Amino acid sequence: MTLRDAAKIIEAEILVGEDLLDQEIGSICGSDMMSEVLAFTNEHSVLLTGLCNTQVMRTADMLDLECLIFIRGKQPTPEMLQMAEDDGRVVMKTRFGMFSTCGKLYQAGAGSGCM
Amino acid sequence: MEDAIVLKYQVIDGEFQRAGEVSSDVKHKLKQMGVPANIVRKVAIAMYEGEVNMVIHANGGEITVEITPEQIKMILADVGPGIPDVEKAMTAGFSTASDATRNLGFGAGMGLPNMKKNTDSLDIETLLGEGTTITMIVKL
Ligand SMILES: Nc1ncnc2c1ncn2[C@@H]1O[C@H](COP(=O)(O)OP(=O)(O)OP(=O)(O)O)[C@@H](O)[C@H]1O
Ligand SMILES: [Mg+2]
């Protein structure tokens, strides 16, 4: 599954990185606690989160994550989007909540290596 | 160690928004120096956890990074309240973080265990009411 496929499944709006959507997704992690993400997430993973502050961007930077997906329509600030832009990281948002977002992606086969 | 590269940073109290700036800078510098990606990653995770702790638990302080061909040493010295029971603090899931901190995405009680997991040695010196100095080494 590519990021583009995932975006379609969860009806996401792309906020940063339209040109980076052909990357394959390795694994996906869903969490609002950054230390959990730091403990259990591989590089080049996708993070689904309901947390929306600069520490999400920093966590993504530390882990070299490939994409951030903000759930429940959370809108990152321009400053946060700039950080992702600088790091070459895809950012999207979906109106669905954590359970539905995970469920849709899992059902579509994005299960392996995911938390 | 004459050929050590030493980096020094201040971590500012109460600046939650900026927590992690130091770790981010160190990470990018190590990358530029050609340090292997798996090492950079360990240093970045351990230092970021420590830096956030300095801001949310300990009134800020100073971070020193010493880079030699053998190892990367990180010294995180804060002027916070100290840690009453280090063994307890090292336990996964133990946290004294407030609800406000939890709402900011921290307080899972995973930081110190993450720091331990990603380093070859971790040493905690702490004095109640004075502060805490955490020294971590990642071997190259
Ligand atoms: N520098 C510090 N000064 C004082 N207390 C600290 C310091 N670092 C950690 N602690 C104490 O140790 C506890 C455990 O720290 P740890 O980093 O493992 O978890 P946390 O910061 O509470 O949550 P998380 O790191 O998962 O966001 C903290 O809740 C705090 O009580
Ligand atoms: Mg912590």
Side-chain angles (χ1 to χ4, degrees), chain A residues 31-89:
Chain A
S31 179
D32 294 345
M33 296 304 262
M34 292 303 104
S35 292
E36 272 180 21
V37 177
L38 287 156
F40 300 119
T41 308
N42 308 317
E43 58 203 320
H44 309 305
S45 300
V46 175
L47 173 62
L48 303 175
T49 188
L51 185 70
C52 194
N53 63 29
T54 53
Q55 298 311 329
V56 179
M57 313 318 277
R58 289 259 156 67
T59 299
D61 178 15
M62 295 305 136
L63 292 171
D64 285 323
L65 298 184
E66 121 188 328
C67 171
L68 287 170
I69 302 177
F70 291 95
I71 58 164
R72 214 178 288 287
K74 299 263 168 71
Q75 175 65 43
T77 63
E79 189 199 4
M80 287 165 66
L81 294 177
Q82 187 60 50
M83 288 168 89
E85 190 106 43
D86 293 345
D87 291 342
R89 180 165 299 116

Side-chain angles (χ1 to χ4, degrees), chain A residues 35, chain B residues 49 53 57-58 78 82-83 89 94-96 106-113:
Chain A
S35 292
Chain B
E49 290 283 15
N53 279 354
H57 303 300
D78 68 55
I83 304 174
F94 175 83
S95 175
T96 59
F106 291 90
M110 297 294 297
L112 284 168

